[in-house]
Amino acid sequence: MYENPLSCTAKPNFVEILHCTVNAFNAPLWDVLIWMLVGIGLFFTVISGFAQFRLFGQSIKTMLGSRSNDNEADGISGFQAFVTGLASRVGVGNVAGVAIAIGIGGAGAVFWMWLIALIGMCSALAESSLAQLFKVRDEHTNRFRGGPAYYIEQGLGQKWLGVVFAIALIVCFGFVYQSIQSNSIALAIQSAAGCVGENDACQADWQIYKHVVGAVLVVITAPIIFGGITRVAKIAETFVPVMALFYLLVALYIVGVNIDKIPSVISLIFTKAFTFEAAGGGLFGSMVSVAMMQGIKRGLYSNEAGQGSAPNAAAAANVKHPVEQGVIQMLGVFVDTLIVCSCTAFVILLAVMPENAADLSGVQLTQAALESHVGAWGQYFLAIVLFMFAYSTIIGNYAYAESNMQFLKNNAFLLTLFRMAVLGFVYFGAVTKVAVVWDMGDLTMGVMAFINLIAIVLLSGYVFTLVKDYNAQLKAGVAKPVFDINKYPKLAQKVRSDIWK
């Protein structure tokens, strides 16, 4: 089982020193960040008029109606941006992340996943709308790009902070998150091969095989990331619905045959959510339970609401109103956590776990749960699905990082070096320990979220203006609102591009 925190009296090799250093920064950061995520999510829920409920039907209608792109030369469609974001959201977090949250925080962690997703839907609306408002045209391709680095620079006038955020995102999505995906793929293959527990001979062989897995992942990832964001969007549009459907069908089958047990599982989730065991020290840390900490951490990793990552895909879309893509990305948070993560949680909580459950890490726990429901083929099925989830997430993560590399320096040679470094971290993740990559992920996504949350609060006046304009047009009977920035002269002065004029 994944264990955290690490004992820092371990052997002083490089990986152990790195891990201890990461955890030393993680604790104080997350003691504060937990409350920022909750408070700012509630803030945007109020100023958007509870958009996650009021505009939920509109978000579905908008998403389904955005498959076509009026001008493909300008960028990807709203639907393609949605599935590119979903490619990064629906993945390892839904399978391995949920298992880790339950393994450490208990069933109550699921409740906090649900809560942070519900209020985070409005944070996603805010950040994605801002990304659309402040997007720019790429000088080489004429396509759109944007994200927090862009709205921090233009909206707040703080170029340096935009650079800091861009670097944080590049490290998180370009490097660390890629390691998490490849690590989970390797673990799933290890479990499907039966190389867990007390099988010493197989464990020894696995120390060699995991390097083969890492090399294979590098080989099959390279052609995709060198193809650029447009190819990323098209591949994601094909893969994501198919892989999610297969996984959901199996999970729903398990829920269906155990329908009589669902009320007791839901009762367990709510009961354990408020069973208090402090997750940290200090004033803020002592107020957070282990269940709350794990649920919100793994929920944020999975749905990314407020983290500042999904806006990079949202900005690439060719839409008529910034809030149009905001409501689409809001729907992505709902699908990711309230549907896909919930399915994994029920699969685990309804299972009779094997005796060697303590030896399992992350996705291996979900594989064991699935096997208890459907038989041995569940191990292989989930290994295949997890591979598709993680592989598509690697693609989506790269798309985010590439956009921010272009923000820093749009240089073909540097971009090539960056792509090679990404492949190096794909390999690193496959051969290292699960706890190392997940704790590194917590730190890097925490830094991103901290910067982004402050930025979107400072820019909340613009969010309010955009949502108000969008709502007014819907009330006036406009089927597809169109944003005219000329109606807002002060806002027009802040936006660098002439896209909305």
Side-chain angles (χ1 to χ4, degrees), residues 136-422:
V136 299
R137 290 185 188 274
D138 186 279
E139 58 185 14
H140 299 299
T141 66
N142 203 42
R143 293 178 179 273
F144 302 134
R145 54 185 170 89
Y150 297 81
Y151 56 68
I152 288 172
E153 178 189 11
Q154 297 177 55
L156 296 180
Q158 302 295 326
K159 170 78 172 182
W160 69 271
L161 188 58
V163 170
V164 171
F165 179 87
I167 292 171
L169 188 145
I170 290 166
V171 173
C172 182
F173 278 80
F175 304 142
V176 178
Y177 273 16
Q178 308 295 44
S179 294
I180 291 177
Q181 310 312 312
S182 58
N183 180 268
S184 297
I185 290 174
L187 287 175
I189 295 173
Q190 180 186 14
S191 180
C195 293
V196 293
E198 299 178 357
N199 191 339
D200 294 335
C202 193
Q203 287 276 26
D205 290 339
W206 178 250
Q207 299 307 310
I208 299 174
Y209 294 151
K210 67 183 181 182
H211 292 279
V212 176
V213 172
V216 170
L217 287 175
V218 168
V219 170
I220 64 177
T221 301
I224 303 300
I225 68 169
F226 277 90
I229 182 102
T230 304
R231 187 178 298 177
V232 167
K234 290 180 179 178
I235 289 175
E237 185 177 20
T238 302
F239 270 108
V240 173
V242 175
M243 69 183 184
L245 178 62
F246 276 120
Y247 181 70
L248 287 174
L249 287 175
V250 174
L252 290 173
Y253 166 77
I254 293 170
V255 171
V257 298
N258 292 279
I259 194 67
D260 58 316
K261 300 176 183 177
I262 295 299
S264 62
V265 170
I266 293 176
S267 176
L268 178 68
I269 289 171
F270 277 84
T271 301
K272 294 297 183 180
F274 302 99
T275 299
F276 193 83
E277 178 185 346
L283 175 62
F284 293 109
S286 62
M287 297 168 62
V288 178
S289 70
V290 174
M292 181 179 180
M293 178 68 80
Q294 287 300 315
I296 292 179
K297 271 187 178 182
R298 301 284 72 85
L300 178 64
Y301 173 81
S302 184
N303 63 51
E304 303 175 21
Q307 185 180 341
S309 48
N312 292 273
N318 180 24
V319 295
K320 301 298 184 182
H321 197 291
V323 179
E324 178 180 336
Q325 196 60 34
V327 297
I328 289 176
Q329 295 298 334
M330 182 179 73
L331 180 63
V333 176
F334 178 87
V335 172
D336 172 87
T337 306
L338 276 299
I339 297 179
V340 186
C341 283
S342 295
C343 286
T344 299
F346 285 127
V347 167
I348 294 172
L349 295 175
L350 288 167
V352 177
M353 301 305 294
E355 294 181 0
N356 72 334
D359 298 323
L360 305 179
S361 299
V363 65
Q364 295 173 346
L365 192 66
T366 310
Q367 284 177 286
L370 196 63
E371 183 177 6
S372 78
H373 289 296
V374 299
W377 69 268
Q379 282 273 359
Y380 307 107
F381 168 77
L382 191 56
I384 295 171
V385 171
L386 192 281
F387 170 80
M388 291 191 292
F389 272 8
Y391 184 57
S392 68
T393 303
I394 287 173
I395 295 170
N397 288 348
Y398 172 76
Y400 294 159
E402 181 188 89
S403 176
N404 283 268
M405 276 295 296
Q406 292 172 326
F407 172 82
L408 294 178
K409 187 70 174 179
N410 199 356
N411 179 279
F413 177 71
L414 291 178
L415 190 59
T416 299
L417 291 180
F418 166 68
R419 288 167 173 170
M420 293 174 67
V422 170

Side-chain angles (χ1 to χ4, degrees), residues 36 40 43-44 130 156 452-461:
M36 289 179 65
I40 293 172
F43 170 72
F44 280 109
L130 287 170
L156 296 180
N452 183 60
L453 289 170
I454 292 174
I456 62 176
V457 167
L458 294 176
L459 295 171
S460 59

Side-chain angles (χ1 to χ4, degrees), residues 48-49 54-55 58 467-481:
S48 68
R54 184 173 50 82
L55 294 177
Q58 179 68 23
V467 172
K468 184 178 179 181
D469 183 271
Y470 188 77
N471 288 336
Q473 293 189 52
L474 288 179
K475 289 181 180 178
V478 178
K480 197 166 185 176

Side-chain angles (χ1 to χ4, degrees), residues 129-136 145-147 150-156 315 322 459 462 466 491 494-497 499-500:
S129 298
L130 287 170
Q132 271 288 324
L133 177 64
F134 291 102
K135 67 185 179 182
V136 299
R145 54 185 170 89
Y150 297 81
Y151 56 68
I152 288 172
E153 178 189 11
Q154 297 177 55
L156 296 180
L459 295 171
Y462 299 147
L466 293 174
L491 185 58
K494 285 282 186 178
V495 177
R496 178 191 303 168
S497 173
I499 294 170
W500 300 108

Side-chain angles (χ1 to χ4, degrees), residues 90-136:
V90 178
V92 167
N94 306 91
V95 182
V98 174
I100 289 173
I102 294 174
I104 299 175
V110 179
F111 169 84
W112 296 106
M113 272 192 172
W114 289 341
L115 181 65
I116 201 64
L118 279 174
I119 61 178
M121 288 171 71
C122 287
S123 299
L125 168 68
E127 62 186 358
S128 294
S129 298
L130 287 170
Q132 271 288 324
L133 177 64
F134 291 102
K135 67 185 179 182
V136 299

